Amino acid sequence: MGIERPFWRAIAVFRVASLLYAAVLMAQHRGYAEPLTGWLVIGVMALWTAAAIFAYSVEALRRWPLLVLDLLVAVACLLASPYAQGAQQPGEDTMPVPATWIAGPVLAWAVHGGRRLGTVAAAVVAAADLWLRIHGPDAPVLINGAVLLFMTGVVVGHVARLAKRAEERMQRAVEMEAAQRERDRLARDVHDSVLQVLALARRRGQELGGEAAELGRLAGQQESALRSLFIRPASPLPAGVADLRALLMRYGSDYVTISTPATPLALPGAVAEQTAAAVGAALDNVRAHCGAAARAWVFAESGEGTVTVSVRDEGPGIPAGRLEEAAAAGRLGVSQSIRGRVEGLGGRVSITSVPGEGTEIELTVPA
Amino acid sequence: MAGGHGGTSGEWEETGRRRDLRVAAMVRVMVVDDHPMWRDGVARDLAEAGYEVVAAVGEGRQALRVAGAVLPEVVVLDLRLPDMSGAEVAEGLAGMSVPPRVLVLSASAEQDDVLDAVKAGASGYLVKSASREEFLEAVRRTADGDAVFTPGLAGLVLGEYRRLAAQPAPAEGPRLTERETEVLRLVAKGLSYRQIADRLVLSHRTVQNHVQNTLQKLQLHNRVELVRYAIEQGLDAD
């Protein structure tokens, strides 16, 4: 995650600056009874500052052991303060030896784990700080430091999390764009080479006839299948709305022609699915009654608040009264399954059939 | 709209006479497709069927340049070209002093492009998966000045009229008569002109005219829109 690096650099700067501040306080303040111990603590802090700056700059080391160690060192330095102060009464302005340096691990936890971990680290350090003050003789219990620590943990954690999330989103957007570009490039390449050859094979096959025609037909099927892979959705539809055209296109083949407008036929998702399923049932019916090689035409158009799909074949047609007969005999034929689906959606079905001239089934569903 | 794509029946007759004068002169065809194998296959089919293939090119700009020189009567145009869209090429061809008739040959998936090309002046559309016979028949009809409508194109054109009707200023857009709508819907349902003529008790020629009219109104509207757009842009620029 590239976005974290500036945070770690900023924390490193803070650690060094707060270390210098602690050293200056130590040098100026003559109030400590045991300056040697004090300088020892400053020495440990300096060593740890160097170690931490290095360790946090290596991504593989930014793990729990480091974070816990960081916090422990800070708390230890804080708790060592009374030994530097010795028996002397601390004045009101006396700071513990590490001073603001103790905020280092709080920042690190917040950047690494967000608001919650920042708060946890702040709680640990603040608890140690308060414990010192409560046990310090006569010193007023100031909670300013604790409040600032919590604020640091929460705010920095929040900002770090936001930044990480923004970076992730950016990353995803870039990946999606790259994927779409790659897809477009593939589509172009496939169009320029494979599809043309398949279309040509199909065409020559048809002319040669016999087995070549069968091969050509297979090439043609692959051509349609490949093409359908590269259809790009023109404009995204709102959630829960489907474009009936896309569902109908799946039925297109050498024998089935699909005609639609150039603009989406937007239907509620479930309505579109059911309508497409009803069209599928009608096409199955064409194959069952007119043979696998029977031609069929599917035509979809939008009306006033409706979408109408017609499925037409040029088979033998349905003799008058046949559908009623079937229903009377308790057979739920295909017309029943189509009617069931469409009327369930609040739509209408009309079946027109002239013996010898084929059948047309027209489905109208509310959009 | 100058000559070109059929016009009223009077114009057809005139064009027909002009062709008669040339008697056995072969129809001059230009093939525009960016794939060499496909281009050669189409050109060979056309030559075998007795057409004079005057040019076979693979790019849009080149097509417009060459068309100005060889003056084809029919252009077989693939919509996917490396440098221009099919609609742009169709528009360029329609703007020639002797505009050729344009038969669009394309993949079924390129619906918007087909509609744009037809609005820009193409007078026919055939899917690339059509058989050789269907293709040659389509070229013949295009050369004769007829619109070549697949069911797919009829669906697109109907959809376009509906879209125009739904637009805010509906009074200006082109309208289909009831008869034209009826005919186009039957074309979209896969009926042949002959079958439509039988069903509606019309002559074959009348059916053809209805289909042709739907296309011409759309093309005219498209041109008016383009001119209006150009004027608006020009006025804004001043």
Side-chain angles (χ1 to χ4, degrees):
Chain A
M1 288 270 118
I3 196 90
E4 269 192 35
R5 200 163 305 149
F7 279 106
W8 294 119
R9 256 201 308 259
I11 293 176
V13 170
F14 171 79
R15 279 182 203 271
V16 173
S18 59
L19 173 69
L20 290 177
Y21 179 55
V24 168
L25 282 182
M26 189 68 206
Q28 280 181 343
H29 213 282
R30 313 261 174 237
Y32 294 117
E34 309 282 345
L36 206 65
T37 316
W39 283 109
L40 203 65
V41 172
I42 297 282
V44 171
M45 282 163 56
L47 281 178
W48 181 246
T49 297
I53 288 173
F54 167 75
Y56 278 111
S57 72
V58 179
E59 202 185 334
L61 291 179
R62 286 202 292 265
R63 299 274 182 272
W64 278 114
L66 176 62
L67 289 161
V68 171
L69 191 59
D70 194 11
L71 193 61
L72 286 180
V73 171
V75 170
C77 291
L78 191 59
L79 293 180
S81 269
Y83 298 102
Q85 285 160 353
Q88 216 182 44
Q89 297 290 323
E92 275 190 22
D93 58 342
T94 309
M95 281 247 232
V97 177
T100 53
W101 190 78
I102 49 168
V106 176
L107 289 170
W109 281 50
V111 168
H112 183 79
R115 224 164 23 189
R116 234 168 269 164
L117 282 187
T119 314
V120 170
V124 171
V125 178
D129 187 45
L130 287 177
W131 186 82
L132 271 189
R133 288 177 193 278
I134 289 166
H135 285 74
D138 292 343
V141 177
L142 294 171
I143 58 160
N144 286 3
V147 170
L148 287 176
L149 279 173
F150 276 110
M151 261 176 62
T152 307
V154 171
V155 172
V156 172
H158 188 56
V159 169
R161 185 49 57 89
L162 279 183
K164 263 187 258 188
R165 219 170 281 159
E167 196 198 24
E168 276 164 20
R169 268 187 214 160
M170 180 80 165
Q171 189 70 29
R172 253 205 313 277
V174 168
E175 277 163 16
M176 274 167 67
E177 202 196 319
Q180 185 59 51
R181 257 207 308 277
E182 178 62 10
R183 203 179 142 91
D184 288 349
R185 193 188 62 76
L186 266 177
R188 256 197 318 279
D189 283 0
V190 168
H191 178 269
D192 291 347
S193 53
V194 185
L195 289 186
Q196 307 280 346
V197 174
L198 286 176
L200 198 67
R202 168 206 174 108
R203 199 177 150 97
R204 296 306 289 174
Q206 273 178 351
E207 288 163 36
L208 295 171
E211 260 176 67
E214 175 61 15
L215 289 177
R217 202 182 57 74
L218 290 175
Q221 277 175 2
Q222 290 310 304
E223 189 217 342
S224 319
L226 255 180
R227 256 189 221 295
S228 63
L229 276 183
F230 290 111
I231 299 177
R232 199 177 165 172
S235 55
L237 293 167
V241 175
D243 184 358
L244 181 64
R245 295 183 311 157
L247 301 179
L248 293 180
M249 283 300 168
R250 292 189 305 218
Y251 297 124
S253 71
D254 284 2
Y255 307 114
V256 181
T257 304
I258 314 285
S259 308
T260 67
T263 43
L265 291 171
L267 286 176
V271 177
E273 288 287 344
Q274 287 293 313
T275 308
V279 170
L283 288 171
D284 287 342
N285 195 41
V286 171
R287 268 191 295 277
H289 286 96
C290 316
R295 298 223 52 185
W297 290 266
V298 176
F299 168 51
E301 63 177 339
S302 60
E304 305 295 328
T306 59
V307 167
T308 300
V309 187
S310 80
V311 181
R312 194 181 77 88
D313 67 62
E314 295 191 337
I318 307 169
R322 177 73 161 278
L323 294 173
E324 290 75 10
E325 254 174 52
R331 277 179 289 132
L332 295 177
V334 67
S335 79
Q336 206 62 20
S337 91
I338 295 171
R339 272 187 205 285
R341 282 179 199 279
V342 173
E343 280 162 12
L345 301 170
R348 298 188 308 278
V349 178
S350 76
I351 301 181
T352 321
S353 186
V354 179
E357 283 184 26
T359 305
E360 187 179 324
I361 301 180
E362 199 169 81
L363 324 172
T364 303
V365 294
Chain B
M1 36 196 311
H5 310 288
T8 61
S9 55
E11 270 175 40
W12 290 332
E13 277 155 25
E14 199 189 316
T15 333
R17 264 205 304 282
R18 248 190 279 140
R19 189 151 298 138
D20 286 344
L21 291 179
R22 253 182 262 133
V23 199
M26 290 193 289
V27 176
R28 301 158 61 81
V29 184
M30 178 166 99
V31 181
V32 185
D33 194 306
D34 66 332
H35 198 270
M37 266 172 90
W38 179 269
R39 197 163 65 218
D40 294 348
V42 167
R44 197 182 47 231
D45 286 348
L46 287 168
E48 280 171 11
Y51 291 94
E52 186 186 356
V53 180
V54 288
V57 300
E59 285 174 16
R61 261 177 270 284
Q62 193 188 5
L64 292 180
R65 221 172 31 241
V66 171
V70 301
L71 299 177
E73 291 159 80
V74 174
V75 173
V76 177
L77 176 66
D78 179 20
L79 286 185
R80 288 275 287 252
L81 298 171
D83 57 340
M84 290 170 84
S85 77
E88 286 168 335
V89 178
E91 209 177 301
L93 292 170
M96 286 171 53
S97 54
V98 188
R101 300 203 173 82
V102 178
L103 174 65
V104 167
L105 206 56
S106 104
S108 50
E110 301 155 3
Q111 292 192 328
D112 287 352
D113 302 347
V114 170
L115 191 57
D116 286 345
V118 163
K119 277 156 70 181
S123 61
Y125 159 61
L126 199 67
V127 284
K128 271 197 167 175
S129 54
S131 72
R132 184 164 173 265
E133 286 67 36
E134 286 173 302
F135 167 66
L136 291 174
E137 169 69 10
V139 174
R140 190 187 63 68
R141 280 168 54 194
T142 306
D144 285 348
D146 288 340
V148 175
F149 259 52
T150 56
L153 180 55
L156 293 176
V157 169
L158 275 169
E160 180 65 7
Y161 273 103
R162 192 166 278 286
R163 188 184 69 79
L164 290 172
Q167 276 180 346
E172 303 174 28
R175 284 279 178 286
L176 289 179
T177 64
E178 250 171 64
R179 208 1 94 80
E180 283 165 352
T181 308
E182 200 175 11
V183 169
L184 266 194
R185 294 186 78 227
L186 291 177
V187 176
K189 289 175 180 179
L191 276 79
S192 69
Y193 289 179
R194 174 55 54 207
Q195 286 170 312
I196 297 170
D198 288 349
R199 193 185 280 198
L200 301 182
V201 200
L202 298 170
S203 77
H204 186 268
R205 188 72 243 177
T206 310
V207 172
Q208 211 145 4
N209 285 350
H210 280 311
V211 173
Q212 198 106 21
N213 280 338
T214 65
L215 205 53
Q216 278 172 358
K217 282 195 271 188
L218 212 51
Q219 291 170 346
L220 184 63
H221 174 70
N222 193 50
R223 233 168 273 189
V224 169
E225 289 290 292
L226 281 177
V227 169
R228 174 177 304 161
Y229 178 76
I231 291 172
E232 277 170 9
Q233 293 299 304
L235 290 179
D236 282 349
D238 283 341

